[in-house]
Amino acid sequence: MKFIIKLHPEITIKSKSVRQRMSKILQSNIRNVLKPLDENIKIRSDWDKLIVRTNIFTESHRLALIESLACIPGIQSFLEVVEHKVESLDEILTLTQEMFGDQLAGKTFCVRAKRRGQQSFSSLDVERYVGGGLNQRCDTAGVKLKKPDVQINLELDGERLYLISRQHAGLGGYPIATQESVLSLMSGGYDSGVSSYQFIKRGSRVHYCFFNLGGAEHEAGVREVVYYLWKKFGSSHRVKFISVPFEEVVGEILEKVDNGHMGVVLKRMMMRAGAAVAEKLAINALVTGESMGQVSSQTVTNLNVIDRVTDTLILRPLIAADKQDIIDIARQIGTAAYAEKMPEYCGVISQSPTIKAKLGKVEHEEANFDFAVLDTAIQAAFVEDVRTLEQKWELPEVEFSQGEDLAEVILDIRSPEEEEEAPLSVPGHNVVTMPFFKLSSQFAELDSGKTYLLYCARGVMSRLQAIHLKEQGFDNVKVYKP
């Protein structure tokens, strides 16, 4: 079984030295990806193509190779071919008829030929001779040069004839590691998955950084989508997954920062932390999935204020993309299924977020922030090889309760602003307020002999925090479901 790999056009127009370097890297990448399928895979480099050979001829193996080749950056297209040694036009006609003759019955067709090396005939000679011969020998509906029912593609390279049975589209782009590495800030939603994919396709080794804002379930979802992206499109290279515990940072923001500036300040803290992680990994750029105007923190003014916290380059490949276009790409590449079930974090939501933050005002708000909390979070960042993410996280089961047992205490974990705006009152129940960002430090001080029903407006944060507490060994928690 043999495949001819066509290079992405942007590679073919490079200088000779750059083209050779990229072709060599692509050859190595293909070997890394296909080796688990066939340890004896053979890959040979020609000037304008790569030749992949395998001695395994099962249909399942063929389909696995096609699926893998279609997802390797740097490949524009690839052809399934049968190779023969030929010396004459008549041999070419006979071999072509043996392979394609049965497909031509009652159909229009044409022959397209490409040629390299020294032969006594031209590409046009091949097309005319083979086309005319097939028309005479087979029960066809005639030759049709434009939009035929069947197009037969031949390639000649010296004495070698390649009969192309099928052609497949590749991913395009540059081979991974031909461009510099980047650190993608992953939330697990549509945007961050697509922006990460864009840089994989463009030839970067994409490492992933996740800011855990308060739940193991969210991290479990992000780990799944990161592993999928790497396995599907980037498995030729090892990369890192970094999880930064950001619960205390969120708590500090909710306590110390004006309501309207919370979103911008949170993004600035993320950029500070991302830049610190990138520096440790010797990476020079951050990637985000931000799109102009999509949410309040993504106005041009606010993005400008956010970027001022670091000299590290921040890349936003989706900045002018429509949301539906992003979702469409996510569906195309397979990350939409993960984004659709990703828990939505609802902890830092300003009631009236500013869309035109002033740098001076933001810096004034940040003056109240204890940056030791951010430093602690950065130091606690956990770095893993992306391959370890294959193992699924086993999350604790969470019980729900409607509060029938009056001995159970309802714990309102909403932010102080939410609690003040709509105080929770449940007849017959003791309601205790404890903002979610204080649970990790103060829940242990509560009476361990009682059961606590966590409550938030949407039911998302309460479930995430219940899982988080159960992971820490607390079994006296449930989710309050009115």
Side-chain angles (χ1 to χ4, degrees):
M1 193 182 303
K2 181 175 179 179
F3 297 91
I4 295 179
I5 309 297
K6 301 291 186 177
L7 305 180
H8 180 57
E10 287 187 52
I11 300 174
T12 63
I13 62 174
K14 299 293 185 184
S15 66
K16 181 178 179 180
S17 60
V18 173
R19 180 173 178 168
Q20 288 177 333
R21 180 178 67 85
M22 288 190 171
S23 180
K24 186 175 181 180
I25 291 174
L26 178 57
Q27 183 177 359
S28 176
N29 292 354
I30 293 173
R31 180 175 288 107
N32 289 341
V33 172
L34 299 187
K35 191 173 181 180
L37 300 175
D38 181 359
E39 290 187 353
N40 299 313
I41 200 87
K42 304 294 183 185
I43 306 172
R44 178 170 60 85
S45 177
D46 280 353
W47 170 242
D48 63 343
K49 60 182 177 291
L50 299 174
I51 311 296
V52 176
R53 296 175 183 270
T54 178
N55 291 323
I56 303 174
F57 297 97
T58 65
E59 180 64 9
S60 60
H61 184 62
R62 169 184 163 271
L63 294 175
L65 290 176
I66 291 170
E67 182 179 0
S68 295
L69 288 170
C71 296
I72 299 176
I75 297 177
Q76 182 67 14
S77 63
F78 55 100
L79 314 173
E80 291 185 71
V81 301
V82 177
E83 181 182 352
H84 300 278
K85 185 176 181 180
V86 296
E87 296 181 353
S88 67
L89 287 173
D90 194 57
E91 284 183 281
I92 297 173
L93 170 58
T94 299
L95 291 168
T96 304
Q97 181 185 355
E98 289 176 359
M99 185 166 180
F100 296 102
D102 293 342
Q103 302 176 27
L104 302 180
K107 296 180 180 178
T108 60
F109 77 101
C110 72
V111 177
R112 299 299 183 194
K114 294 182 179 180
R115 187 182 60 83
R116 284 185 62 195
Q118 298 296 319
Q119 294 100 8
S120 60
F121 42 78
S122 68
S123 298
L124 187 57
D125 291 335
V126 175
E127 292 176 356
R128 287 173 174 170
Y129 189 89
V130 175
L134 291 174
N135 198 35
Q136 290 178 351
R137 298 182 183 186
C138 305
D139 185 19
T140 76
V143 175
K144 186 178 180 182
L145 299 181
K146 291 186 177 180
K147 297 182 179 180
D149 296 326
V150 178
Q151 178 172 309
I152 297 173
N153 298 298
L154 314 177
E155 289 199 15
L156 286 156
D157 189 350
E159 295 180 337
R160 295 193 299 270
L161 167 66
Y162 300 118
L163 294 174
I164 301 169
S165 60
R166 296 178 182 86
Q167 180 169 333
H168 304 277
L171 197 62
Y174 288 136
I176 294 177
T178 58
Q179 309 303 314
E180 293 177 77
S181 297
V182 297
L183 180 66
S184 178
L185 308 187
M186 284 290 294
S187 68
Y190 293 104
D191 304 337
S192 60
V194 172
S195 61
S196 300
Y197 162 77
Q198 299 280 30
F199 272 88
I200 294 173
K201 182 179 176 182
R202 200 59 186 167
S204 290
R205 290 177 66 180
V206 177
H207 302 265
Y208 303 90
C209 183
F210 168 65
F211 297 105
N212 193 329
L213 304 181
E217 187 178 38
H218 190 181
E219 178 164 346
V222 173
R223 292 165 72 91
E224 281 189 14
V225 71
V226 165
Y227 182 78
Y228 170 84
L229 272 171
W230 172 79
K231 186 68 175 177
K232 182 82 171 175
F233 303 106
S235 63
S236 58
H237 289 76
R238 298 180 184 180
V239 298
K240 302 294 185 184
F241 175 78
I242 303 94
S243 178
V244 184
F246 240 53
E247 297 100 322
E248 299 298 327
V249 175
V250 170
E252 188 73 5
I253 290 172
L254 288 170
E255 284 193 294
K256 305 288 182 64
V257 175
D258 172 72
N259 187 280
H261 291 83
M262 287 180 181
V264 171
V265 171
L266 176 61
K267 287 292 184 69
R268 281 167 60 94
M269 296 301 170
M270 288 179 173
M271 296 306 168
R272 287 183 173 104
V277 171
E279 184 178 6
K280 290 180 181 179
L281 297 177
I283 296 172
N284 294 323
L286 304 179
V287 172
T288 81
E290 291 164 312
S291 176
M292 185 170 61
Q294 191 174 121
V295 296
S296 61
S297 65
Q298 295 175 18
T299 63
V300 170
T301 298
N302 286 354
L303 290 174
N304 181 37
V305 170
I306 290 167
D307 287 3
R308 298 295 185 92
V309 299
T310 178
D311 292 329
T312 303
L313 178 64
I314 302 173
L315 301 168
R316 298 181 171 96
L318 308 181
I319 193 65
D322 293 337
K323 185 66 176 184
Q324 188 57 52
D325 293 338
I326 297 170
I327 293 173
D328 290 344
I329 296 173
R331 288 176 177 154
Q332 174 192 333
I333 65 177
T335 57
Y338 297 92
E340 288 164 0
K341 65 179 182 181
M342 197 66 63
E344 181 183 356
Y345 178 76
C346 56
V348 184
I349 299 177
S350 300
Q351 300 300 318
S352 301
T354 181
I355 59 172
K356 290 189 175 181
K358 296 185 181 298
L359 181 61
K361 174 62 176 174
V362 171
E363 291 175 337
H364 174 74
E365 291 295 323
E366 288 183 343
N368 300 318
F369 186 92
D370 182 1
F371 278 88
V373 174
L374 180 64
D375 294 337
T376 299
I378 294 171
Q379 292 300 320
F382 186 67
V383 182
E384 296 178 70
D385 187 310
V386 73
R387 293 173 298 175
T388 66
L389 305 188
E390 182 178 14
Q391 185 175 358
K392 302 290 185 182
W393 269 21
E394 296 295 332
L395 298 175
E397 292 292 330
V398 178
E399 292 184 56
F400 292 84
S401 173
Q402 294 181 329
E404 297 92 342
D405 186 349
L406 298 182
E408 294 175 331
V409 178
I410 296 177
L411 197 61
D412 187 345
I413 66 169
R414 294 174 297 168
S415 65
E417 291 81 6
E418 288 183 281
E419 193 274 325
E420 287 178 14
E421 185 173 329
L424 179 65
S425 177
V426 181
H429 271 283
N430 180 24
V431 177
V432 176
T433 61
M434 182 179 291
F436 73 94
F437 54 86
K438 290 186 177 181
L439 284 174
S440 60
S441 60
Q442 296 185 9
F443 186 83
E445 299 174 7
L446 298 175
D447 185 350
S448 60
K450 295 182 178 181
T451 298
Y452 296 89
L453 311 183
L454 306 190
Y455 170 78
C456 72
R458 300 185 186 183
V460 176
M461 180 58 65
S462 54
R463 184 165 180 265
L464 294 177
Q465 289 298 332
I467 292 174
H468 194 45
L469 289 171
K470 279 185 170 292
E471 284 188 323
Q472 294 178 336
F474 295 104
D475 292 325
N476 58 333
V477 290
K478 299 180 182 178
V479 174
Y480 179 51
K481 192 174 182 180

